[in-house]
């Protein structure tokens, strides 16, 4: 059998505690972190299809766009500086997420969130008032630094604050807020593009100041997590805080585990070196391949460039921005399906269904675009049914991503890493994600110009490979307490070669790692 099946969750731990207002506020702050990330993903594509924006900052792209339809449609947006505008943010986020992990550890999650919020704000301000391309790029670098800090600290904050049994749902809540951020950006682009005088792009870019302010203020008002307080030596305050957060007095079991976990992780001298040990081979593989594959679905071609893409395949400016709103809406709604189903149907079935659906849609979209635009990019007259079919299959593709690789690309890595490698492995996950977000953003317009409709076949190929990978190599993690997760590798047809019977010893819900006294409690 390809993978371990279900697993009895009966002997996992259950700490007392409920969804208190404190925890609810935590969720809202986490949502703000996601909103900002999503807003940035959604805003750039719309702005780069606004003629007034192109005319001012990227005149050569503007001239190509205005040229008559005999110009090759596949290449009308191909510009190094235009892609740099979009992708520079992710390079900055990649660098700062590496720095952010030590800031988050030394100064607490709150400080990192504050830092993230302030950087966002500065970036949005510079972008909103941009006078030249250099201001746009500096602004986007600052936004990227902000995202690196926020994406490192907000999910951590969320996981540490959340009661054990709500952790899974809250994790996808973060993805939901990313999709809502993208949607808000798409809607705003649609309306701001209509502003007479052509300065609507300033509102689109400057609008990021609003979510930035919310997360900045939120980080000032909220308490730090008990885990972080313990880590920084404030044990008594941390115990009190935990009581308040959980809404119960009896927090001893959880508190003691937090202290033990903190002690144990302090003893790990080389978390990065640890990651290379043989028994962590499955974890390292997943930390690299899951985010890599998530980006190679090609989703950000749609998220960043939907209006540009729709424009290329024959839609007017207005219709292009409207289509981006429609895909944004589908993205957000389909994420709800995942929140509903992830603990019922399991991760593997969502991954596999989503992969199959994406593959079929990509093949159909490639065929449609290929049939009409051919290799020379000259469509002639485009019938209405054609536009409807293309948008429909792009929506079905987005929906499939939104209930599979979107949320699971963040959820699965977060639930498989044992404590002693968790922070290092999570950094690998975040940086690989940002690196390939950057790569896809940077080369997409160029690839569209050269691969033409074959671009969709390129991504379809990766979707096929990743689905085969999931089928054979990812065990089901649904319904398994994190403390028991070592079992899934031991029972797996392939990974059992790397993870031996004694590597992760389960001890009634408390997992002692052989060779160290790390207690895996979260
Ligand atoms: C991905 C982003 C993507 C977004 C779309 C996230 O999970 O990491 O790259 O743009 O989903 O909703």
């Amino acid at each position: 059998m390809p993978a371990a099946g279900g697993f009895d969750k009966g002997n996992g731990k259950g700490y007392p505690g409920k969804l208190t207002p404190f925890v609810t506020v935590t969720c809202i702050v986490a949502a703000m972190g996601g909103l900002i990330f999503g807003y940035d993903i959604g805003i750039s594509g719309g702005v780069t299809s606004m003629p007034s924006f192109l005319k001012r900052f990227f005149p050569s792209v503007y001239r190509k766009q205005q040229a008559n339809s005999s110009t090759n449609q596949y290449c009308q947006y191909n510009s190094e500086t235009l892609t740099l505008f979009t992708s520079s943010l992710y390079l900055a986020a990649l660098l700062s997420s590496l720095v952010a992990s030590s800031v988050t550890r030394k100064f607490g999650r709150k400080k990192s969130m504050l830092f993230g919020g302030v950087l966002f704000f500065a970036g949005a301000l510079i972008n909103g008032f941009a006078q030249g391309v250099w201001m746009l790029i500096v602004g986007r670098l600052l936004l990227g630094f902000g995202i690196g800090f926020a994406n490192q600290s907000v999910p951590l904050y969320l996981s540490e604050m959340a009661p054990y049994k709500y952790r899974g749902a809250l994790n996808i809540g973060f993805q939901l807020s990313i999709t809502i951020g993208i949607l808000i950006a798409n809607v705003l682009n649609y309306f701001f593009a209509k502003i007479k005088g052509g300065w609507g792009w300033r509102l689109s870019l400057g609008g990021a100041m609003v979510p930035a302010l919310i997360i900045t203020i939120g980080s000032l008002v909220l308490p730090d997590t008990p885990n972080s307080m313990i880590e920084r030596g404030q044990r008594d305050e941390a115990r009190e805080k935990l009581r308040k957060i959980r809404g119960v007095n009896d927090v001893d079991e959880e508190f003691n585990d937090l202290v033990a976990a903190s002690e144990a992780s302090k003893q790990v001298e080389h978390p990065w070196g640890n990651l290379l040990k043989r028994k962590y081979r499955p974890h390292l593989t997943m930390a690299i391949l899951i985010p890599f594959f998530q980006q190679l679905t090609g989703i950000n071609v749609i998220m960043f460039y939907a209006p540009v893409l729709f424009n290329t395949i024959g839609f007017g400016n207005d219709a292009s921005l409207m289509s981006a709103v429609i895909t944004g809406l589908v993205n957000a709604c389909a994420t709800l399906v995942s929140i509903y189903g992830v603990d019922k149907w399991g991760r593997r079935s969502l991954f596999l269904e989503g992969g199959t659906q994406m593959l079929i849609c990509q093949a159909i979209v490639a065929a449609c675009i290929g049939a009409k635009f051919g290799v020379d990019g000259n469509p002639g007259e485009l019938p209405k049914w054609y536009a409807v079919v293309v948008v429909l299959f792009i929506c079905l593709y987005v929906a499939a991503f939104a209930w599979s690789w979107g949320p699971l690309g963040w959820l699965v890595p977060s639930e498989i890493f044992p404590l002693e490698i968790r922070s290092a492995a999570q950094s690998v996950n975040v940086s690989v994600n940002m690196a390939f977000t950057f790569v896809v953003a940077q080369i997409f317009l160029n690839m569209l110009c050269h691969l033409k409709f074959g671009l969709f076949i390129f991504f379809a190929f990766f979707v096929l490979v990743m689905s085969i990978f999931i089928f054979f190599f990812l065990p089901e993690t649904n319904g398994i307490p994190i403390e028991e997760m070592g079992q899934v590798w031991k029972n797996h047809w392939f990974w059992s070669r790397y993870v031996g019977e004694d590597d992760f010893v389960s001890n009634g819900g408390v997992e002692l790692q052989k060779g160290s006294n790390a207690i895996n409690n979260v």
Side-chain angles (χ1 to χ4, degrees):
M1 267 309 287
F7 190 80
D8 177 21
K9 39 179 155 171
N11 60 350
K13 274 192 176 181
Y15 303 124
K18 40 195 177 191
L19 256 191
T20 59
F22 250 81
V23 167
T24 311
V25 173
T26 300
C27 297
I28 293 167
V29 170
M32 293 307 125
L35 277 183
I36 290 166
F37 183 34
Y39 189 87
D40 280 313
I41 293 169
I43 213 73
S44 39
V47 167
T48 49
S49 74
M50 291 182 195
S52 58
F53 177 82
L54 289 176
K55 194 172 172 185
R56 180 172 186 135
F57 296 106
F58 305 96
S60 62
V61 185
Y62 175 74
R63 277 193 300 275
K64 261 198 219 171
Q65 197 198 28
Q66 296 301 304
N68 66 46
S69 60
S70 67
T71 303
N72 186 343
Q73 295 293 304
Y74 290 126
C75 298
Q76 61 169 333
Y77 285 101
N78 188 12
S79 151
E80 291 291 316
T81 24
L82 189 60
T83 37
L84 196 61
F85 167 73
T86 302
S87 58
S88 54
L89 186 149
Y90 297 92
L91 202 55
L94 156 68
L95 295 177
S96 73
S97 71
L98 295 174
V99 179
S101 66
S102 45
V103 174
T104 306
R105 198 171 56 238
K106 289 204 185 91
F107 303 103
R109 288 70 174 127
K110 220 169 109 97
K111 288 270 160 36
S112 267
M113 280 195 247
L114 178 65
F115 216 22
V118 171
L119 288 166
F120 272 131
F121 188 85
L125 192 71
I126 293 180
N127 269 349
F129 288 100
Q131 298 301 323
V133 176
W134 71 271
M135 279 180 86
L136 286 181
I137 306 270
V138 168
R140 278 191 74 77
L141 288 176
L142 285 169
L143 289 173
F145 289 138
I147 284 181
F149 275 91
N151 278 16
Q152 181 75 24
S153 55
V154 172
L156 250 188
Y157 185 92
L158 184 66
S159 296
E160 292 178 348
M161 287 298 232
Y164 176 76
K165 41 188 182 234
Y166 299 102
R167 187 170 288 130
L170 287 177
N171 194 299
I172 298 192
F174 183 66
Q175 170 74 14
L176 179 66
S177 64
I178 294 176
T179 63
I180 291 173
I182 296 173
L183 178 62
I184 291 174
N186 289 340
V187 172
L188 290 181
N189 272 339
Y190 179 75
F191 288 108
F192 290 158
K194 293 182 188 299
I195 290 178
K196 293 220 164 55
W199 51 273
W201 60 269
R202 290 197 186 277
L203 293 180
S204 294
L205 296 181
M209 281 191 280
V210 176
L213 264 185
I214 299 172
I215 192 174
T216 305
I217 295 168
S219 69
L220 289 171
V221 180
L222 287 172
D224 228 327
T225 67
N227 317 48
S228 176
M229 295 167 89
I230 293 169
E231 210 167 23
R232 289 174 294 129
Q234 306 163 358
R235 289 202 183 178
D236 293 340
E237 296 92 325
R239 188 194 292 269
E240 272 319 298
K241 191 65 66 193
L242 193 59
R243 288 200 174 112
K244 204 168 165 195
I245 295 165
R246 297 284 176 256
V248 289
N249 262 333
D250 173 23
V251 292
D252 287 353
E253 192 183 10
E254 183 171 4
F255 179 77
N256 290 338
D257 284 348
L258 292 182
V259 171
S262 157
E263 291 299 321
S265 71
K266 274 184 200 152
Q267 285 167 19
V268 175
E269 279 172 42
H270 308 292
W272 293 97
N274 243 359
L275 209 52
L276 297 175
K277 284 189 184 161
R278 190 177 164 83
K279 65 175 178 174
Y280 297 125
R281 218 44 66 75
H283 309 86
L284 186 60
T285 307
M286 298 302 163
I288 295 170
L289 285 187
I290 290 182
F292 168 77
F293 282 145
Q294 191 207 47
Q295 290 309 313
L296 266 289
T297 56
I299 186 66
N300 281 325
V301 163
I302 308 293
M303 293 303 135
F304 295 148
Y305 298 115
V308 168
L309 190 71
F310 287 128
N311 219 287
T312 302
I313 59 177
F315 291 22
N317 285 338
D318 200 50
S320 297
L321 288 173
M322 195 32 149
S323 313
V325 172
I326 295 170
T327 51
L329 207 58
V330 169
N331 191 23
C333 293
T335 307
L336 296 174
V337 174
S338 193
I339 291 181
Y340 172 81
V342 72
D343 296 319
K344 285 193 170 65
W345 311 317
R347 282 71 163 142
R348 276 171 54 84
S349 34
L350 277 175
F351 264 130
L352 294 174
E353 192 285 331
T356 313
Q357 188 171 325
M358 280 193 278
L359 188 65
I360 295 171
C361 294
Q362 279 165 325
I364 293 175
V365 170
C368 285
I369 297 180
K372 274 285 156 197
F373 285 75
V375 278
D376 60 0
N378 256 321
E381 193 69 22
L382 287 170
K384 198 158 183 87
W385 65 261
Y386 167 83
V388 173
V389 169
V390 171
V391 172
L392 179 73
F393 281 95
I394 286 183
C395 285
L396 286 173
Y397 160 81
V398 169
F401 175 88
W403 62 57
S404 63
W405 280 89
L408 301 179
W410 296 104
L411 171 64
V412 171
S414 82
E415 63 187 7
I416 60 170
F417 303 140
L419 180 72
E420 60 180 359
I421 58 157
R422 190 166 297 154
S423 71
Q426 184 61 14
S427 301
V428 172
N429 179 39
V430 175
S431 8
V432 173
N433 196 300
M434 291 300 151
F436 285 93
T437 306
F438 170 80
V439 169
V440 171
Q442 187 62 33
I443 63 175
F444 163 68
L445 292 178
N446 200 284
M447 281 173 77
L448 180 65
C449 181
H450 292 106
L451 287 181
K452 305 172 171 83
F453 62 91
L455 179 69
F456 295 90
I457 298 175
F458 171 84
F459 287 120
F461 167 76
F462 277 99
V463 171
L464 181 65
V465 172
M466 67 187 76
S467 300
I468 294 172
F469 172 80
I470 294 293
F471 184 78
F472 286 108
F473 296 102
L474 186 79
E476 182 56 79
T477 52
N478 179 29
I480 299 168
I482 294 180
E483 306 87 39
E484 311 292 337
M485 203 58 82
Q487 294 295 330
V488 303
W489 313 111
K490 279 191 247 177
N491 295 340
H492 191 267
W493 73 274
F494 180 78
W495 297 119
S496 54
R497 294 170 210 194
Y498 295 91
V499 181
E501 210 31 65
D502 303 331
D503 276 333
F504 302 100
V505 182
S506 175
N507 184 17
V510 179
E511 191 172 53
L512 293 172
Q513 310 271 322
K514 199 189 165 206
S516 83
N517 61 348
I519 296 173
N520 193 357
N521 74 309
V522 282

